[in-house]
Amino acid sequence: MKRRVNVIGVGMTKFAKPGASAEYYEMAKEAGQKALQDANIQYNEIEQVFAGYVYGDSTCGQRAAYELGLTGVPIVNVNNNCSTGSSALFLARQAIEGGLAECVLALGFEKMEKGALGAKFNDREPPMGQHAQVMLNV
């Protein structure tokens, strides 16, 4: 049986152009603190964190969540390009709905680079390579 899931707090930071924003962990701290305040809860009530971002190393979620407190909860890094935020929220909902946790945090942040978006790993086939080839052959 599925459990009811509610969003009880939200928080945001000011949007800034690439190169003009604060550090990612500072933005995450501000948004996280605002969400906790809006929910009227403390960080030590959070049982899991789902941290969504694309431009950063593999453990940026841990660094960002540590700004809110060091409680030893699992922190899952979520990277799904344009769907990252909704994926983090989906995983947070799933954890509660499935009875794995009572209170979780979906935390999103991004520090974009200046200029056009580009590939980071040029030593391997791009993930969309096969899809692009199928589209060309249609």
Side-chain angles (χ1 to χ4, degrees):
M1 178 195 263
K2 292 183 178 183
R3 298 169 62 195
R4 184 181 173 112
V5 178
N6 297 295
V7 174
I8 62 168
V10 297
M12 293 179 59
T13 62
K14 181 180 177 186
F15 180 81
K17 291 183 178 184
S21 64
E23 288 297 324
Y24 71 91
Y25 51 85
E26 293 170 350
M27 292 185 284
K29 179 180 181 180
E30 180 182 353
Q33 286 177 332
K34 287 179 178 179
L36 293 170
Q37 183 178 21
D38 187 43
N40 196 31
I41 63 172
Q42 299 296 312
Y43 182 71
N44 63 4
E45 297 177 66
I46 301 294
E47 298 171 61
Q48 296 179 22
V49 177
F50 297 91
Y53 64 95
V54 176
Y55 293 96
D57 288 325
S58 65
T59 56
C60 286
Q62 279 77 359
R63 176 64 177 92
Y66 290 167
E67 291 295 314
L68 299 171
L70 291 170
T71 59
V73 301
I75 300 169
V76 178
N77 294 280
V78 180
N79 177 332
N80 199 15
N81 292 326
C82 294
S83 301
T84 296
S86 61
S87 295
L89 188 59
F90 171 81
L91 292 169
R93 176 192 62 97
Q94 197 172 46
I96 293 173
E97 190 175 61
L100 301 174
E102 291 291 324
C103 186
V104 300
L105 175 65
L107 181 65
F109 52 88
E110 197 67 80
K111 184 166 182 168
M112 299 291 294
E113 298 174 332
K114 289 183 179 181
L117 303 178
K120 295 289 184 193
F121 302 104
N122 296 315
D123 63 340
R124 62 201 74 179
E125 179 184 345
M128 293 299 290
Q130 185 176 14
H131 177 77
Q133 190 61 47
V134 169
M135 296 297 290
L136 287 172
N137 292 337
V138 172

